[in-house]
Amino acid sequence: MLSFTFWWMNYVERVVDGLKRRDPAQPEFHQAVGEVFDSLLPVLEERPEYEEAGILERLAEPDRVILFRVTWLDDAGRTRVNRGFRVQATNVLGPYKGGLRFHPTVNLSILKFLGFEQIFKNALTTLPLGAGKGGSDFDPKGKSDAEVMRFCQSFMTELSRHIGPNTDVPAGDIGVGAREIGFLYGQYKRLTNEVTGVLTGKSVGWGGSLIRPEATGYGTVYFASEMLKAAKLSLDGQPCVISGSGNVAQYTCRKLLELGAKPVSMSDSGGTVYDKDGIDEEKLAWIMELKNKRRGRIHEYASEFKCEYREGRLPWDIPCFAAFPSATQNEVDEAGAKSLVANGCRLLAEGANMPCTPEAVEVLRNGNVLYGPGKAANAGGVAVSGLEMSQNAMRLNWRSDEVDSRLASIMNQIHEDAYAASERYGDPGNYVLGANAAGFTRIADAMIDQGVV
Ligand code: NDP
Ligand code: 2IT
């Protein structure tokens, strides 16, 4: 595609156009950058020093991208080759920080978009966290524990050269949970002979923080509750749909139950279960056993609890008061958003990163659905990772009620800051503008303070 930079383009258009020309095959990255930068026009107008300092160009170019081969042996003794990545987005506010994703769809576009989102999310937490993301196109599905271990050891053998407790602190994301973090951490220690908090999401018995597994899901529901409170609404007794059935989905479901809501669906890449009676504590425990131990498929829930299974479908046409997309990017498209609006949905809070397409966001906003963007709504996960780093540095552990209350207060503060920024820039209750503006000004001011680097 031919593209030119014209003098009449505004600063945002020039930067986004430049990105598209340099890296034409990175659509998810362009989408994430476009969404953030477009919303910042009122901020950029008020603060011309950001353009003078080239802040947008610098934010859109990661500090460093590391790409490496990961070679490992499968159980049949065959040599397998995958690609490993670490995108170190920025260390302006602290060590690079963000998850690792193992999924066959992983490529540079997806990891650059995730690293970019992480910049603003981590800034919103107010903790000293830079931003990064990494992973591999390795697919843990269908692999034995021994294969996953050998892959993780090979992956960490290279990654270990680029990370460290004061340099870059990875964690989990899709396909990387407690099992993978354990294997990665074990290999890091073997290579470096150092016991440091170099990864977060560790198990509680060996350096992990209580509430880290729960943090993203709990935080998303805390954020949603704050949005509803501001709009004088409540989750009590209300039907909710959740996509995914992994870490974020499970703990979103648990917190919704605690707050008296009625989760009615969960999904995986095969399809969606619709349980009109509601997924209660007992059924949720069954899902956690299915997904975290047996590594089974969600359709088994429909047979076990005699409810509807919608093969190959997403939950967005199920009537609900609130929706919690908690699987992957671009899972809510325009049609999905229209179904939600038509069925009277009042709130959507993003547990996943960028689950809504730009068209879906427009439909939701025009349909008066309260919309909580991921970089604010799901920041609880990385926030408790930050608290895990603090506990590791102090070499002591906080009680779960202490971590949970810190998590709740961080989520309340993010809501307050995003709401205040939305008011400040002229569109009260626009959480896209508010979250982007609040995160952006924090990082942009720090970049100016730290000079041209
Ligand atoms: P998990 O691997 O634990 O679970 C992922 C879930 O989403 C699974 O049910 C999986 O189904 C489904 N899924 C993944 N990819 C796809 C796909 N391409 N199409 C359909 N379904 C898919 O991951 P998490 O719960 O940790 O992460 C979920 C989302 O939350 C991601 O967007 C992640 O970036 C985001 N997030 C995670 C945080 C964390 O702390 N873990 C923090 C903040 C955001 P299947 O098993 O069939 O693949
Ligand atoms: O997207 C995310 O914020 C995460 N996957 C969690 C990152 C972290 O470092 O805990």
Side-chain angles (χ1 to χ4, degrees):
M1 186 187 66
L2 266 184
S3 170
F4 301 95
T5 302
F6 293 111
W7 60 267
W8 63 80
M9 285 176 158
N10 68 33
Y11 180 34
V12 168
E13 288 165 337
R14 275 186 277 117
V15 174
V16 174
D17 187 70
L19 286 184
K20 289 183 178 165
R21 272 189 292 137
R22 264 203 314 261
D23 294 307
Q26 298 185 350
E28 292 86 0
F29 180 54
H30 303 154
Q31 180 184 337
V33 173
E35 181 266 320
V36 172
F37 286 0
D38 281 346
S39 75
L40 292 174
L41 282 170
V43 183
L44 296 166
E45 224 160 78
E46 192 185 274
R47 305 284 299 272
E49 67 270 29
Y50 292 154
E51 180 171 353
E52 279 155 32
I55 298 293
L56 298 191
E57 293 90 325
R58 288 156 67 181
L59 286 173
E61 196 64 36
D63 284 3
R64 193 173 298 107
V65 172
I66 299 145
L67 210 163
F68 50 99
R69 190 186 66 242
V70 187
T71 314
W72 56 283
L73 283 178
D74 68 17
D75 287 345
R78 275 193 310 262
T79 301
R80 301 282 199 104
V81 177
N82 286 97
R83 208 169 251 187
F85 303 84
R86 186 72 179 163
V87 175
Q88 295 181 331
T90 171
N91 63 3
V92 167
L93 297 179
Y96 303 112
K97 182 81 196 91
L100 297 171
R101 177 176 291 191
F102 292 170
H103 194 272
T105 56
V106 162
N107 58 37
L108 196 53
S109 173
I110 287 178
L111 295 180
K112 279 178 70 180
F113 117 64
L114 289 163
F116 180 79
E117 288 282 296
Q118 204 83 43
I119 298 174
F120 306 93
K121 185 194 305 195
N122 293 6
L124 282 169
T125 67
T126 69
L127 299 173
L129 301 171
K133 200 85 188 189
S136 174
D137 58 1
F138 172 76
D139 186 358
K141 267 199 213 97
K143 305 286 190 304
S144 68
D145 286 351
E147 287 176 322
V148 171
M149 182 179 75
R150 287 194 292 275
F151 173 81
C152 287
Q153 291 178 340
S154 181
F155 181 86
M156 182 51 89
T157 301
E158 176 59 35
L159 187 70
S160 64
R161 304 170 201 265
H162 311 287
I163 63 175
N166 296 310
T167 305
D168 184 348
V169 183
D173 193 80
I174 293 175
V176 178
R179 174 182 61 168
E180 290 74 18
I181 294 291
F183 294 147
L184 291 163
Y185 188 60
Q187 179 73 351
Y188 182 84
K189 282 192 298 171
R190 173 156 72 174
L191 291 164
T192 60
N193 199 25
E194 277 191 359
V195 180
T196 63
V198 72
L199 293 166
T200 60
K202 299 183 291 298
S203 292
V204 171
W206 37 270
S209 174
L210 290 161
I211 305 295
R212 176 63 189 89
E214 293 85 349
T216 310
Y218 280 17
T220 304
V221 179
Y222 291 148
F223 191 83
S225 302
E226 288 300 304
M227 291 169 74
L228 290 169
K229 197 157 57 164
K232 303 196 169 25
L233 294 166
S234 137
L235 281 166
D236 196 28
Q238 297 288 5
C240 298
V241 299
I242 302 167
S243 68
S245 46
N247 172 269
V248 179
Q250 292 168 13
Y251 289 103
T252 295
C253 185
R254 174 172 296 163
K255 189 51 76 175
L256 285 173
L257 287 171
E258 267 179 36
L259 297 188
K262 185 182 176 191
V264 292
S265 91
M266 277 201 184
S267 68
D268 63 19
S269 54
T272 295
V273 291
Y274 179 20
D275 187 344
K276 289 190 178 126
D277 297 334
I279 302 172
D280 59 19
E281 276 292 352
E282 204 180 306
K283 293 171 178 175
L284 175 60
W286 190 92
I287 291 176
M288 290 169 92
E289 166 80 19
L290 172 79
K291 287 290 172 183
N292 308 347
K293 302 251 161 60
R294 288 201 283 124
R295 301 189 188 272
R297 311 301 301 157
I298 201 72
H299 67 74
E300 297 172 46
Y301 176 99
S303 321
E304 178 75 14
F305 298 108
K306 310 277 171 283
C307 72
E308 195 183 326
Y309 176 60
R310 302 175 161 203
E311 191 173 347
R313 285 167 61 187
L314 292 158
W316 317 130
D317 58 347
I318 295 172
C320 66
F321 170 81
F324 295 87
S326 310
T328 194
Q329 64 275 354
N330 291 328
E331 56 175 319
V332 186
D333 63 6
E334 187 175 5
K338 281 183 174 160
S339 299
L340 287 167
V341 171
N343 285 326
C345 174
R346 298 303 313 275
L347 170 137
L348 182 145
E350 295 184 334
N353 285 306
M354 204 170 76
C356 293
T357 64
E359 297 77 21
V361 175
E362 201 176 317
V363 170
L364 295 170
R365 291 189 42 75
N366 291 337
N368 275 328
V369 178
L370 293 166
Y371 169 66
K375 61 175 78 63
N378 72 39
V382 76
V384 175
S385 277
L387 301 181
E388 183 172 331
M389 290 164 71
S390 307
Q391 292 169 80
N392 290 165
M394 292 188 294
R395 297 198 187 278
L396 51 81
N397 301 313
W398 291 326
R399 290 188 322 268
S400 69
D401 59 327
E402 191 168 352
V403 181
D404 196 18
S405 83
R406 284 177 193 263
L407 167 64
S409 89
I410 290 170
M411 297 314 296
N412 291 358
Q413 190 63 51
I414 294 175
H415 178 269
E416 212 171 280
D417 291 350
Y419 198 92
S422 74
E423 279 180 322
R424 161 102 180 64
Y425 291 104
D427 193 358
N430 177 346
Y431 290 97
V432 173
L433 168 64
N436 289 343
F440 172 75
T441 48
R442 208 162 273 158
I443 179 105
D445 291 341
M447 286 167 81
I448 290 177
D449 289 347
Q450 293 176 29
V452 180
V453 290

